[in-house]
Amino acid sequence: MAQNEKGDDKDNAGKEVNSYTKFSGVAFQMIAVIGVFAFAGYKIDQAGNHQTKWATAALSLVGVFISLYIVIRSVKS
C-alpha cells in the first residue's frame, strides 16, 4: 500500500509541474499578443502621422481582451 501512495505523489507532482508550465506559457502568450497588437497600432499611428496615438491605445486594448480570452479558455480546460 505504501508503494501505491508514493506513485500517487509522483502523479500529483507531475500534474503540478505540468500546470506550472502550462500557465507560464499562457503568460508568454499574453505578452506576445499584447505586444503584437501594440506594435501594429504604433505602426499605424506612425504611418498616419497622428498627434494622438489612438490606434496604439485601441489595438493595445484589443490585445488585452484577446489575451484575457486566452487565459479564461485555458483555465477552463
Side-chain angles (χ1 to χ4, degrees), residues 12 15 26-27 34 40 44 53 61-63 77:
N12 288 339
K15 288 179 184 177
V26 170
I34 295 169
I44 291 169
K53 307 298 183 195
L61 192 58
V62 168
S77 59

Side-chain angles (χ1 to χ4, degrees), residues 22-43:
K22 176 182 174 182
F23 290 120
S24 64
V26 170
F28 287 113
Q29 285 179 347
M30 288 181 67
I31 292 169
V33 168
I34 295 169
V36 165
F37 276 86
F39 182 73
Y42 173 76
K43 284 299 188 182

Side-chain angles (χ1 to χ4, degrees), residues 26 29-30 33 63 65-75:
V26 170
Q29 285 179 347
M30 288 181 67
V33 168
F65 286 129
I66 290 173
S67 65
L68 285 174
Y69 173 75
I70 291 170
V71 168
I72 290 168
R73 191 181 66 192
S74 68
V75 169

